[in-house]
Amino acid sequence: MLPDLLDSLKAVVGPRGFLDDPADTAPYVTEARGRFVGRCRAVIRPASTAEVAEVVRLCAEAGQAIVPQGGNTSLVGGSIPFESGTEIVLNLGRMNRVRDLDALNHTITVEAGCVLQTVQQAAQDADRLLPLSYGAEGSCQIGGCLATNAGGTMTLRYGNTRDLVLGVEVVLPDGRVWDGLRRLRKNNTGYDLKHLFIGAEGTLGIITAAVLKLVPRPRQVETAFVAVPDPTAAIALLADLREATGDTLCAFELIPRRGLDFARRHVTGVVDPLADVHAWYVLVEAGAGTGEGALRTLFEDGLARGLESELVLDAVIAENSKQRQAFWLIREALVEAQKYEGGSLKNDVSVPVSRVADFITEATRAVEALIPGIRAVPFGHVGDGNIHFNLNQPEGADTAAFMARWDEIQTLVNDIVGRLDGSISAEHGIGRIKRQELARVKSPVELDLMRAVKAALDPKGIMNPNKLLP
Ligand code: FAD
Ligand code: ZN
């Protein structure tokens, strides 16, 4: 029966959309960091929604499991098939058309396989901004952004992907197409079904297109690199600066001194913009549509008030785009630099913004008690409560032995996250690697609801099985 199915699938998508030679499928079954290397029957690359629908219908009939895949950047194993080799990968990369751009409605309608950066560019060409930006934007795809509900450096101002989606088109697990490509900002006609598919990590259906919100392009951007006494002061400063700048902050990134030191040591071009050494910094950015110089004045006044109230120890405002880029290089270099400091463990968590400092204090104390000499590097988008609580091994320690304690550390950190009303995954999702943790932290009621939704939409369980749901 199975060779028949593969023949039928090949007939639907044509030779260009069908790969089954292991040499060709290798990039689609391997995760970038090499943590997961799976196998599959075939990689199917449809070119239209109709082809996706036909592929899924055939798979549903045959009970064939499908792994939806975008740019393969999510790094939690969700887009990679299991080692069994019994699944097919359905990659959306060929569905990469911008279907519509409605400048007056401030919307863009794009297919799932559009690379995020391409959509940003299309918006910019129409003098609009797609306010979604992060490190993987050159390769992640819109379908993947939606399926993981990604949030980037502008979440503070514009929300995460979920807040930017007005409509979706989805191929359901039985092959039917739901055309939910509404371009409406107001639509109170019952369950808002699009939200089921956003953040579902491909377990409920295949997103084939989406309507995204655009906003006017900021004409003025102000960026500052600011030394603060500690995370408590940083969070107080965040509230003050939001108020002082008329709520125009779009980024507020925490950077610890240790992270800056690692970045200076390992990444070319990173320099400390301030004369003295401080324990903590924030990279702050504000953007406004109008008012020559007005934002600059508000921004300067806000920082000056911070100096008076001692929430700010020192600050430098970028005078040009080169300086702005130099500030952002520090933030972007943090992750890369950690690789050169031996074993490094990542926790991508969030807590209410008001509890960021409590989390950093408690979690740092806990991991230092567990492993003396461990080097915590908590950084990230604290403007929206997201902390990348990354941990480097003690200097000179055995890397394998340190990495082997990953589960123990994760449990310790996640228990603190739970006590502070936070989330164990703020960005990358659950995929394969956090399923057991999800089972531990979600209430039985919440897990029941999630399973009920899965059973209702995908009764045969063919859509990305054994991912996300414990
Ligand atoms: P993939 O990795 O291919 O897939 C992710 C999941 O979605 C899988 O479960 C897959 O099955 C499912 N899926 C993919 N496409 C579809 C579809 N069309 N329909 C249904 N399901 C689908 N995330 C953040 O939130 N914020 C960040 O700042 C951030 N920064 C990053 C920086 C770097 C350098 C990297 C490598 C990753 C970063 N991420 C970040 C991770 C982020 O989740 C992904 O980059 C992106 O959202 C996933 O898109 P993708 O196309 O690569 O999806
Ligand atoms: Zn991040």
Side-chain angles (χ1 to χ4, degrees):
M1 173 167 169
L2 225 41
D4 284 353
L5 173 66
L6 293 187
D7 286 344
S8 310
L9 296 178
K10 194 171 185 172
V12 174
V13 293
R16 275 191 65 205
F18 185 92
L19 313 172
D20 61 351
D21 183 331
D24 298 330
T25 59
Y28 300 90
V29 299
T30 312
E31 188 222 54
R33 286 197 298 226
R35 180 163 183 178
F36 298 104
V37 184
R39 294 194 307 129
C40 67
R41 291 219 145 99
V43 175
I44 311 292
R45 307 188 73 225
S48 67
T49 302
E51 285 186 12
V52 176
E54 187 56 12
V55 165
V56 175
R57 194 187 64 75
L58 289 166
C59 289
E61 252 174 41
Q64 171 63 54
I66 301 172
V67 181
Q69 186 180 75
N72 217 352
T73 67
S74 50
L75 306 181
V76 290
S79 58
I80 298 292
F82 283 94
E83 294 74 7
S84 66
T86 56
E87 297 170 301
I88 67 154
V89 171
L90 198 155
N91 180 288
L92 278 296
R94 285 175 75 208
M95 289 192 60
N96 56 6
R97 277 188 319 128
V98 174
R99 289 194 192 164
D100 178 65
L101 193 152
D102 185 342
L104 291 181
N105 195 42
H106 285 82
T107 51
I108 188 166
T109 306
V110 295
E111 292 184 341
C114 286
V115 170
L116 174 55
Q117 205 166 55
T118 315
V119 184
Q120 293 167 346
Q121 187 60 50
Q124 191 177 324
D125 292 346
D127 202 23
R128 298 287 183 266
L129 173 75
L130 173 69
L132 182 65
S133 168
Y134 53 90
E137 65 197 19
S139 43
C140 70
Q141 299 174 4
I142 293 300
C145 296
L146 265 72
T148 59
N149 186 29
T153 49
M154 289 183 273
T155 301
L156 165 62
R157 175 86 165 272
Y158 301 103
N160 46 23
T161 299
R162 190 183 295 284
D163 302 301
L164 299 174
V165 177
L166 292 180
V168 290
E169 178 187 80
V170 178
V171 172
L172 300 170
D174 59 7
R176 283 180 299 162
V177 178
W178 172 45
D179 178 356
L181 288 176
R182 305 284 99 75
R183 291 177 296 156
L184 304 173
R185 275 154 179 95
K186 300 187 105 175
N187 177 13
N188 293 346
T189 52
Y191 304 146
D192 201 339
L193 298 174
K194 64 176 178 284
H195 288 301
L196 283 178
F197 301 95
I198 302 170
E201 299 188 25
T203 60
L204 298 180
I206 301 197
I207 299 164
T208 47
V211 181
L212 304 174
K213 285 185 204 169
L214 304 177
V215 298
R217 239 155 39 81
R219 307 289 146 168
Q220 246 192 304
V221 175
E222 297 295 344
T223 312
F225 193 78
V226 183
V228 294
D230 51 34
T232 305
I235 297 303
L237 178 67
L238 167 67
D240 284 0
L241 281 180
R242 283 187 68 175
E243 208 256 304
T245 60
D247 212 6
T248 57
L249 289 197
C250 31
F252 195 86
E253 301 281 324
L254 185 72
I255 298 170
R257 179 71 208 185
R258 181 177 279 142
L260 175 58
D261 284 341
F262 285 179
R264 284 168 65 226
R265 198 175 301 157
H266 302 294
V267 182
T268 320
V270 172
V271 285
D272 181 351
L274 298 172
D276 296 325
V277 171
H278 300 279
W280 294 92
Y281 304 90
V282 283
L283 173 56
V284 191
E285 192 158 280
T290 57
E292 277 292 294
L295 179 64
R296 176 73 177 214
T297 308
L298 296 176
F299 200 63
E300 282 173 352
D301 289 354
L303 288 171
R305 288 216 308 254
L307 277 164
E308 278 162 32
S309 58
E310 295 177 3
L311 295 177
V312 172
L313 300 173
D314 197 1
V316 53
I317 302 179
E319 291 302 337
N320 49 49
S321 63
K322 201 166 150 234
Q323 219 178 354
R324 171 176 178 255
Q325 277 162 18
F327 294 173
W328 275 105
L329 177 66
I330 300 171
R331 166 65 184 83
E332 280 148 18
L334 292 178
V335 183
E336 192 190 336
Q338 278 187 285
K339 287 193 287 212
Y340 304 101
E341 291 287 335
S344 134
L345 299 173
K346 295 178 169 46
N347 294 278
D348 152 38
V349 301
S350 66
V351 292
V353 174
S354 52
R355 291 182 150 179
V356 163
D358 290 344
F359 169 77
I360 292 175
T361 307
E362 280 187 43
T364 305
R365 201 177 290 145
V367 295
E368 284 176 351
L370 184 72
I371 304 180
I374 195 170
R375 293 170 298 163
V377 189
F379 70 93
H381 328 288
V382 298
D384 45 76
N386 182 187
I387 305 112
H388 292 304
F389 190 67
N390 288 7
L391 302 165
N392 274 95
Q393 65 172 69
E395 265 172 290
D398 179 67
T399 301
F402 175 72
M403 299 304 280
R405 301 189 72 176
W406 173 219
D407 285 343
E408 201 184 339
I409 293 175
Q410 184 175 254
T411 305
L412 188 69
V413 171
N414 287 347
D415 285 346
I416 296 169
V417 167
R419 271 208 308 282
L420 294 174
D421 214 5
S423 165
I424 63 164
S425 177
E427 291 198 325
H428 290 252
I430 301 298
R432 260 172 93 166
I433 66 177
K434 288 190 177 172
R435 284 169 71 214
Q436 295 321 314
E437 274 300 275
L438 194 73
R440 211 169 63 83
V441 301
K442 291 256 184 201
S443 72
V445 173
E446 209 167 348
L447 286 170
D448 267 2
L449 287 172
M450 287 175 75
R451 291 196 176 106
V453 171
K454 172 75 175 172
L457 270 77
D458 183 20
K460 292 187 175 167
I462 62 163
M463 218 37 94
N464 220 2
N466 300 313
K467 308 281 174 55
L468 174 64
L469 284 171

